[in-house]
Amino acid sequence: MERRNFIKKTLLAAGALSVASTGRIVSAVRRPDALSAATEKTSSPNPQTIAENKPPLVKSIMWGTVGLQGSVSDRCKAIKAAGFDGIEPNSHMDRSEVLDAMKTTGLKASGVCNSKHWELLLSHADVAVRRKGIEAMIVAMEDAKAYGTDAVLLVPGRVDENTSYEDCWKRSTECVRELIPVAEEMRIKICIENVWNNFLLSPVEMRMYLEQFDSTFLRMYFDCGNILVYGWPEHWIPALGSLIGRIHVKEFSRQKADKEGRWAGFGVSLTEGDVRWKEVMAEIRRHYTGNWLTTEQGSSKTTEELKDLSGRLDKILALY
């Protein structure tokens, strides 16, 4: 079933939206905020209250973007020296090695990235693959618990020529439902990232997906750069509000993507692409209830690149 028809059917089943004779989804009438109308299970804190009681933002870097050679300890020392406060380790790393490096450097874990979710998709047609994906996610949550953090990044599935939008929704939902009791017991948030997986392509869909579980341990991992192929981060942030559990800071150039191919859009330095950081940071201040900002930018193959990235993130933080 096409994505549009599936979303229409799901919204109508929830009693949230009406559909015009042309088949277009129209604004919700049950609540004035159409983005929140799909469900009334989540109540976001007042943006003014959030802004007035904001803790300082803390800088982290995604482990997979650190291209430096050397041991985990060597790389953590370079990350700390560059001015970062935290790391987002991959799951399934050597825990003792990561813990020793964090203790030595004073770095904290901002979260954990599930390193197996693309390989073991929760939307896969094979139930055995989905079972392995569930097991891998539990390991990732155990990693997070060991590292003293409360969030794990998860890509829930992918729509492609073999997996319809409806199948992706249903299969991944079934798997996430099984994971939520584990997350609640561990006190670890499952954070669904917006990635180029042809799934959850609007804030309406993302909100519907998250709210169907009715759990504070199911949140969004919002990526500022990924969103530019079909939206603007400063629009998504207020639409999702307190449903955002973590944020990735990443740049993207639409001009490079148009000329050289979509993936080339990431080939620009932070602050030199099309993300409007002033507007984004204003919305983060109003709506984001967390305090970690984690870069997922470039490869940082040298200490100089790490320091440059840290300095560019400081410029973004200055807009907060």
Side-chain angles (χ1 to χ4, degrees):
M1 181 180 293
E2 294 181 356
R3 162 182 168 256
R4 182 176 63 181
N5 289 335
F6 175 69
I7 296 302
K8 282 162 57 178
K9 184 180 76 172
T10 305
L11 289 169
L12 284 167
L17 299 182
S18 61
V19 180
S21 58
T22 58
R24 293 182 293 111
I25 298 177
V26 297
S27 299
V29 295
R30 191 174 56 162
R31 292 181 58 183
D33 179 3
L35 294 178
S36 300
T39 174
E40 300 190 8
K41 293 179 181 178
T42 298
S43 179
S44 297
N46 186 297
Q48 183 175 348
T49 302
I50 294 173
E52 290 173 352
N53 297 281
K54 292 292 291 186
L57 293 177
V58 189
K59 297 164 54 178
S60 178
I61 187 168
M62 188 180 190
W63 189 258
T65 65
V66 181
L68 285 170
Q69 298 300 306
S71 66
V72 171
S73 178
D74 290 338
R75 281 179 275 181
C76 281
K77 288 176 182 177
I79 290 167
K80 183 67 173 181
F84 289 96
D85 304 296
I87 55 173
E88 183 181 270
N90 288 333
S91 68
H92 298 76
M93 294 175 68
D94 185 315
R95 284 182 196 163
S96 61
E97 193 174 6
V98 174
L99 286 168
D100 287 346
M102 289 170 57
K103 182 177 180 180
T104 299
T105 60
L107 289 169
K108 304 296 183 183
S110 59
V112 167
C113 177
N114 183 342
S115 63
K116 304 292 185 179
H117 49 200
W118 286 112
E119 174 188 351
L120 303 171
L121 286 163
L122 300 184
S123 61
H124 201 282
D126 188 338
V127 67
V129 174
R130 299 203 300 274
R131 173 54 48 192
K132 290 180 180 178
I134 290 171
E135 293 169 355
M137 184 59 184
I138 291 173
V139 172
M141 290 191 285
E142 291 171 343
D143 286 337
K145 191 73 173 178
Y147 300 149
T149 186
D150 67 347
V152 175
L153 185 159
L154 173 67
V155 174
R158 180 177 62 206
V159 176
D160 56 26
E161 64 272 19
N162 299 312
T163 303
S164 70
Y165 193 97
E166 183 172 14
D167 284 340
C168 186
W169 185 291
K170 290 182 176 180
R171 291 170 187 164
S172 64
T173 292
E174 181 181 85
C175 293
V176 172
R177 284 199 190 283
E178 187 170 337
L179 285 164
I180 283 178
V182 182
E184 291 176 342
E185 181 178 354
M186 289 188 179
R187 315 299 290 175
I188 302 295
K189 296 182 181 70
I190 299 170
C191 294
I192 305 297
E193 189 182 23
N194 56 294
V195 294
W196 294 353
N197 57 347
N198 305 312
F199 188 52
L200 306 178
L201 301 178
S202 76
V204 173
E205 294 159 63
M206 180 63 77
R207 192 173 190 106
M208 285 174 57
Y209 188 86
L210 298 175
E211 289 185 331
Q212 68 175 318
F213 300 102
D214 194 20
S215 174
T216 57
F217 290 91
L218 201 287
R219 288 292 181 260
M220 181 185 187
Y221 203 128
F222 183 71
D223 188 299
C224 296
N226 288 347
I227 212 72
L228 259 72
V229 295
Y230 47 81
W232 288 261
E234 63 269 28
H235 297 168
W236 275 63
I237 293 168
L240 276 300
S242 63
L243 289 173
I244 297 175
R246 288 293 192 276
I247 293 177
H248 266 165
V249 173
K250 187 163 61 186
E251 193 60 81
F252 187 84
S253 168
R254 290 191 176 105
Q255 184 177 14
K256 283 183 68 67
D258 289 344
K259 290 182 178 180
E260 303 172 35
R262 189 168 66 168
W263 283 98
F266 292 124
V268 289
S269 297
L270 194 62
T271 71
E272 295 184 11
D274 290 318
V275 179
R276 303 193 303 173
W277 291 111
K278 181 178 179 181
E279 289 80 359
V280 168
M281 294 306 291
E283 297 301 339
I284 286 175
R285 181 169 180 80
R286 293 187 187 103
H287 299 281
Y288 181 44
T289 58
N291 66 333
W292 282 108
L293 282 189
T294 302
T295 63
E296 188 192 351
Q297 179 73 28
S299 58
S300 298
K301 295 179 180 178
T302 67
T303 55
E304 290 75 18
E305 288 177 345
L306 270 177
K307 291 176 181 177
D308 178 70
L309 178 58
S310 180
R312 291 174 182 273
L313 183 54
D314 285 337
K315 291 179 181 178
I316 291 173
L317 289 173
L319 301 170
Y320 182 61

